[in-house]
Amino acid sequence: TEKEKTVIGFNIKPETFSFPLLIKIRNSIEVDGLEEIPGLEKLKELNISIKGVEGLNQLVEKMKMEIIMDSQKGTVSSSEMSNRYAIFTQLQGLLKDTKKTLIAFNIEIHRRLAMPVSCQIFFFLSFPLGLVVKRSGKGMSFTLAIVFLFIYNAFFILGSGISYKSN
C-alpha cells in the first residue's frame, strides 16, 4: 500500500473572511493556536499543539535538536527518523508561511479600516473644494478631485507593495 502524503500548510486567503473572523484568525496565528486555523487541521491529527508563531519557532528548534541527538545516538530506526525529518521540514516551511500569512492578514485588516476612513476624508476634502473654487468653474474642481484620487491611489498601492515586500 502506498502511504498517503499530506502537506502541512496554509490554504487561506485573508480577502475571503469577514472582519471579525479575520481578526480571530490573525490572533490565532499570533498567539492562540495554529491548529484552529482552516487548513491546518492536520496538526490536530498529529497531536501537535502550537501556540502562535513563537510556539512554532520553539517547536521547530526543539525538533531540530531531537533529530540531531537521535541521529548521533542511532537509537531510532531510519523510517522513524525519516518521518520525524519530514514533519520537521513541513513545520519549518509552515514557519516561513506563517510569517507571510500574518503579514497578509495584517495588511487586509488595515486595508479594511483604511477604505471607509479614506471615503470620509475624501468627502470632507471635496466639500470645501467644491465651495471654494468658483471662478475656475466645475472643471477645476473636477480636475483637483481626480488629482487627489490619483495621489491617494498611488500612495495606497505603494504602501501595500512596501508592506508585502518588507519580509
Side-chain angles (χ1 to χ4, degrees):
T1 61
E2 188 177 311
K3 275 190 173 180
E4 183 181 311
K5 291 188 177 184
T6 57
V7 177
I8 300 171
F10 287 106
N11 191 16
I12 52 176
K13 301 224 180 286
E15 304 87 27
T16 60
F17 294 103
S18 66
F19 193 71
L21 195 55
L22 194 68
I23 291 175
K24 181 181 175 192
I25 292 174
R26 193 252 342 239
N27 290 341
S28 292
I29 294 172
E30 283 182 331
V31 182
D32 297 340
L34 295 178
E35 58 275 357
E36 300 299 322
I37 297 172
L40 294 179
E41 294 87 7
K42 184 69 178 165
L43 292 174
K44 278 185 181 177
E45 294 174 18
L46 294 173
N47 291 328
I48 298 175
S49 178
I50 302 170
K51 297 297 178 200
V53 177
E54 190 58 37
L56 180 58
N57 196 15
Q58 290 172 358
L59 180 65
V60 167
E61 290 300 317
K62 179 183 167 191
M63 285 187 75
K64 183 180 180 181
M65 294 306 291
E66 286 176 358
I67 289 172
I68 291 171
M69 297 298 275
D70 288 342
S71 66
Q72 287 177 350
K73 290 179 186 175
T75 56
V76 180
S77 69
S78 62
S79 64
E80 176 67 26
M81 188 60 80
S82 66
N83 278 344
R84 285 185 186 182
Y85 187 72
I87 292 173
F88 167 73
T89 54
Q90 286 187 12
L91 288 176
Q92 203 172 25
L94 180 63
L95 182 61
K96 290 178 186 174
D97 288 348
T98 301
K99 291 175 183 176
K100 289 178 186 176
T101 304
L102 189 58
I103 289 171
F105 270 81
N106 284 331
I107 290 170
E108 183 66 20
I109 288 170
H110 287 107
R111 187 185 69 78
R112 289 191 187 182
L113 292 173
M115 284 296 181
V117 171
S118 66
C119 290
Q120 291 176 347
I121 289 171
F122 278 131
F123 169 76
F124 288 117
L125 182 70
S126 66
F127 187 70
L129 188 65
L131 292 176
V132 171
V133 186
K134 289 289 184 191
R135 287 187 180 167
S136 303
K138 292 182 180 179
M140 185 62 177
S141 297
F142 182 73
T143 305
L144 279 174
I146 296 296
V147 167
F148 281 130
L149 185 65
F150 278 125
I151 290 171
Y152 169 77
N153 239 0
F155 279 121
F156 191 79
I157 290 170
L158 181 71
S160 295
I162 288 172
S163 54
Y164 275 116
K165 291 180 183 176
S166 67
N167 284 340

